[in-house]
């Protein structure tokens, strides 16, 4: 079983107390660590208006949790959050696959750009994260006519 990256977004009823939100986060964190996963990041987005009413609720408290682990964590979180009284919606999405697809598309675009630059006789672009080489023959002095004595 390989570890994968997931994002869990859940919406809590707007009348939930700060303590209930904290307790729910602690429960999610406990499930992830008990099943040998790691909680990478937690982002409380706060109270927001819902796109559509869910039961009597027009707004909710949003929380994003990013974690790494196996599919058993996803199943357990889904099961637990469905029966939690204060949770009105939850969604778990696997993000490592989306990132891999985006990385492959970026590599294809960069290769195509390099091929077109070469076909036009232009030098290749520097690798990301490296400083471009300064031209040794370029004049780097600046003439300032106001400082003449």
């Amino acid at each position: 079983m390989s570890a994968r990256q997931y994002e869990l977004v859940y919406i809590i009823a707007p009348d939930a107390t700060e303590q209930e939100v904290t307790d729910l986060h602690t429960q999610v964190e406990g499930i992830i660590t008990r099943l040998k996963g790691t909680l990478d990041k937690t982002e409380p987005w706060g109270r927001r208006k819902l796109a559509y009413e869910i039961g009597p609720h027009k707004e909710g408290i949003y929380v994003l949790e990013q974690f790494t682990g196996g599919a058993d964590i996803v199943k357990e979180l889904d099961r637990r959050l469905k029966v939690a009284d204060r949770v009105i919606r939850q969604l778990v999405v696997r993000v490592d696959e989306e990132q891999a697809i985006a990385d492959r598309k970026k590599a294809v675009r960069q290769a195509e750009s390099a091929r077109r630059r070469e076909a036009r006789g232009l030098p290749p672009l520097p690798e990301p994260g490296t400083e471009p080489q300064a031209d040794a023959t370029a004049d780097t002095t600046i003439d300032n006519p106001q400082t003449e004595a």
Side-chain angles (χ1 to χ4, degrees), residues 13-123:
D15 56 345
T17 65
E18 197 65 38
Q19 184 61 44
E20 288 174 317
V21 174
T22 303
D23 291 345
L24 193 57
H25 165 70
T26 305
Q27 183 181 5
V28 167
E29 186 176 20
I31 292 168
I32 292 170
T33 55
R34 182 172 48 87
L35 296 174
K36 297 178 179 53
T38 58
L39 184 62
D40 302 327
K41 183 166 75 167
T42 300
E43 279 185 37
W45 290 346
R47 173 174 291 205
R48 294 179 179 222
K49 186 175 184 220
L50 299 173
Y52 55 89
E53 287 186 32
I54 301 175
H57 306 292
K58 293 183 180 180
E59 53 182 31
I61 301 169
Y62 285 70
V63 179
L64 168 73
E65 311 267 7
Q66 293 179 339
F67 64 94
T68 305
D72 53 338
I73 296 173
V74 175
K75 288 178 188 173
E76 182 65 13
L77 284 172
D78 194 44
R79 186 181 74 77
R80 288 283 187 89
L81 292 174
K82 279 183 180 174
V83 298
D85 293 338
R86 307 309 275 158
V87 176
I88 54 179
R89 280 288 189 273
Q90 86 277 348
L91 177 68
V92 180
V93 179
R94 194 173 122 200
V95 293
D96 60 346
E97 186 173 306
E98 292 172 5
Q99 186 63 43
I101 291 170
D103 290 344
R104 282 195 300 267
K105 286 182 179 179
K106 183 178 178 182
V108 168
R109 281 194 312 268
Q110 287 175 339
E112 182 64 20
S113 175
R115 186 192 63 75
R116 285 194 310 265
R117 286 183 67 83
E118 185 178 318
R120 287 184 275 165
L122 297 172

